[in-house]
Amino acid sequence: MEAAINLKKEERFTHPVRTRVTPSVYQRLEKLIEKGDCHSIGEVSRKILSNEQIKVFHVDASLNSVMEELALVRKELKAIGVNINQITKAFHSSRNESAKSFYALKVAERYEIVGKKVDGLLEIVAQLAEKWLQKS
C-alpha cells in the first residue's frame, strides 16, 4: 500500500477506460498474462496503451530432460563432496599409516568418479552450445 500512497498524483490510475473485445483478442490478452510479466487484463491493456514493453517468458520443453540430468549430476557431485569430506576427516584423525593409505585410496576413487561426472557435464554443455549457438 505504501507504494500506491507514494505515487505522484499524475502517476495514479484515476480514469477508468472500458472497452469490449472479441473472444480471440481476449484470448491473446490472457496468453500475455500466462506467458508474460502482467497479472491482469487491465495491466496488459495499460502497458499496450502506454506503449510499454511486456516481457514474455518462453520455456523450451526440449530442455526438460537436460535440466533433470544436470540436477541429478549436481546432486551426485554434492553427495560425493560430502563423502570426500568425511573421508578426509577420518584421514586426519587416523594415527595409523596403513589407515591413512586406505583413506587416501578412497578419496582417489571418489575423485575419479568426479572426473567422470565432470566429463559428462562438459559433454552436455557442448551439446547445449551446439544447439543454442547455431549460426542463423
Side-chain angles (χ1 to χ4, degrees):
M1 282 306 255
E2 281 185 38
I5 294 171
N6 292 333
L7 285 175
K8 295 177 185 173
K9 190 172 184 174
E10 62 271 4
E11 292 176 341
R12 294 183 186 154
F13 303 127
T14 56
H15 299 293
V17 177
R18 292 184 53 136
T19 187
R20 296 190 181 275
V21 294
T22 64
S24 64
V25 170
Y26 192 81
Q27 286 176 345
R28 286 191 354 236
L29 293 173
E30 283 184 325
K31 283 183 183 177
L32 285 173
I33 294 170
E34 290 172 14
K35 294 183 178 182
D37 63 342
C38 296
H39 303 291
S40 68
I41 296 289
E43 187 177 0
V44 171
S45 302
R46 276 192 297 277
K47 284 192 173 192
I48 291 171
L49 289 171
S50 301
N51 204 22
E52 293 179 35
Q53 282 187 341
I54 298 174
K55 294 179 184 170
V56 179
F57 307 102
H58 174 75
V59 177
D60 186 350
S62 69
L63 291 178
N64 288 350
S65 63
V66 173
M67 293 309 294
E68 288 174 12
E69 189 174 348
L70 288 173
L72 179 63
V73 170
R74 179 180 178 266
K75 184 178 176 181
E76 291 173 350
L77 285 172
K78 184 177 179 181
I80 292 168
V82 168
N83 193 246
I84 287 172
N85 286 342
Q86 292 169 341
I87 295 170
T88 303
K89 184 177 179 181
F91 174 87
H92 287 295
S93 63
S94 178
R95 305 241 186 260
N96 185 341
E97 288 299 318
S98 63
K100 285 189 174 198
S101 295
F102 171 77
Y103 292 128
L105 289 172
K106 287 293 181 191
V107 167
E109 289 173 7
R110 298 308 185 275
Y111 275 113
E112 190 175 320
I113 295 170
V114 168
K116 290 176 183 174
K117 295 292 178 188
V118 169
D119 290 343
L121 284 175
L122 293 175
E123 189 175 312
I124 293 170
V125 169
Q127 290 171 0
L128 288 173
E130 188 176 310
K131 177 179 180 177
W132 289 101
L133 299 177
Q134 292 177 2
K135 292 184 181 180
S136 299

